[in-house]
Amino acid sequence: MSVSDTPSRSAAEYGLPDDEIVAEIPVYLTQKLDKQLHLLQYPQKDGSITPGELQPREARIKPIHGQIELDIPLDVQSPMYNKERGAALGVGISDSGRLLDITTLVSVGIPQNSEYLAGVMRDGELHLTAIKKAIQLRPSLRYLDRVAEKDLAAKKMDHSDEEEEVKKETKAQSVQVTVRSAQAEEALRQQQSSIAYMQQKLEEEPWSGLAYFDVGTEESNAVHADLIADNKEDLISKTTPDEYLTAVIGSIVPDVL
């Protein structure tokens, strides 16, 4: 942050506690990328992510629902990698005897309880772009479901009678009696129908390939340039500070005098 060449002012001029103001930074807002920016969180990562660390082998998106998947390669040559276990789990991603050599990160929407902004400092100016979408990327374990499905199919071929008996026992154990009001039954039915409908629509939407460019690439730098505002006209406020606070947090008059 650069220090302004203009004479410093007292904080009292701004209605702040007495303290020296060492810099005044112009703030500009830009909307060039506000519909494209996503904030990706990696809850399983500690600390910062270095360039190239999470370079995916493949990336894809469902544009309508905004779901993203990244296939992150695993180092199968690492002495810490269990190739025997990797081969056993590899049937969950391929029938060709391939090792489990990727981990798939899938996006999960999170409640946006606060507003996020992407900020860039350039020439002593702060340029801000609103971020409309915040998601977390968590490992997908779908390959385990596929392994289980294949194991079950193999067992059915070898033990069809035994499997049928297990199904009967499971069906008998899963029966339970519940009593609900007609209103509760209808509410539950509508909820289940709505969830099933949304899940069906999500699964029906095809994936679209994404081109991934890491930090420092020409493509990344070109997009980064769009975070800088072109229009630097001053915004004229049409509200007083009290009116703005009232619009944001409600009445600013204390309840108890």
Side-chain angles (χ1 to χ4, degrees), residues 29-202:
L29 303 178
T30 176
Q31 297 179 320
K32 287 185 285 187
L33 293 177
D34 66 344
K35 291 182 173 60
Q36 287 80 36
L37 283 186
H38 287 62
L39 175 63
L40 307 184
Q41 298 179 352
Y42 298 83
Q44 293 191 319
K45 289 293 297 180
D46 294 329
S48 60
I49 299 174
T50 59
E53 181 179 356
L54 293 176
Q55 177 82 28
R57 184 179 299 171
E58 290 185 13
R60 49 195 171 271
I61 186 174
K62 293 189 174 184
I64 297 176
H65 291 86
Q67 189 173 54
I68 295 174
E69 284 191 354
L70 304 179
D71 290 339
I72 308 298
L74 298 175
D75 183 8
V76 298
Q77 302 303 324
S78 169
M80 303 299 293
Y81 183 87
N82 187 331
K83 290 189 176 182
E84 182 179 352
R85 185 60 177 161
L89 296 176
V91 299
I93 60 174
S94 173
D95 293 325
S96 61
R98 166 183 167 186
L99 292 174
L100 181 67
D101 56 356
I102 59 170
T103 179
T104 298
L105 301 180
V106 59
S107 64
V108 178
I110 57 176
Q112 198 158 329
N113 298 322
S114 59
E115 296 295 329
Y116 294 101
L117 297 167
V120 176
M121 285 293 299
R122 175 173 291 186
D123 300 329
E125 301 171 341
L126 177 59
H127 300 258
L128 299 176
T129 303
I131 298 176
K132 303 292 181 64
K133 184 80 171 179
I135 58 177
Q136 289 186 350
L137 287 167
R138 301 179 180 180
S140 169
L141 302 179
R142 284 197 301 266
Y143 64 90
L144 292 179
D145 295 333
R146 297 183 186 123
V147 171
E149 290 171 0
K150 291 181 179 180
D151 288 345
L152 182 59
K155 288 180 181 179
K156 281 184 177 180
M157 295 180 63
D158 297 337
H159 309 285
S160 57
D161 294 339
E162 181 180 344
E163 185 66 28
E164 188 65 30
E165 187 64 28
V166 170
K167 279 187 176 181
K168 291 179 181 179
E169 291 179 2
T170 303
K171 184 176 181 180
Q173 292 171 1
S174 65
V175 173
Q176 56 182 348
V177 178
T178 59
V179 179
R180 297 190 184 94
S181 66
Q183 294 86 346
E185 286 285 357
E186 178 62 18
L188 179 61
R189 186 192 65 78
Q190 291 182 357
Q191 182 184 29
Q192 292 175 337
S193 177
S194 176
I195 294 174
Y197 176 79
M198 290 187 293
Q199 183 63 31
Q200 178 184 359
K201 287 298 182 182
L202 174 61

Side-chain angles (χ1 to χ4, degrees), residues 192-233:
Q192 292 175 337
S193 177
S194 176
I195 294 174
Y197 176 79
M198 290 187 293
Q199 183 63 31
Q200 178 184 359
K201 287 298 182 182
L202 174 61
E203 293 176 355
E204 288 177 352
E205 183 183 358
W207 289 104
S208 297
L210 278 177
Y212 182 94
F213 301 103
D214 212 338
V215 176
T217 60
E218 292 183 6
E219 293 82 359
S220 175
N221 292 336
V223 174
H224 186 270
D226 286 337
L227 295 174
I228 306 300
D230 294 327
N231 185 357
K232 297 185 179 181
E233 295 179 4

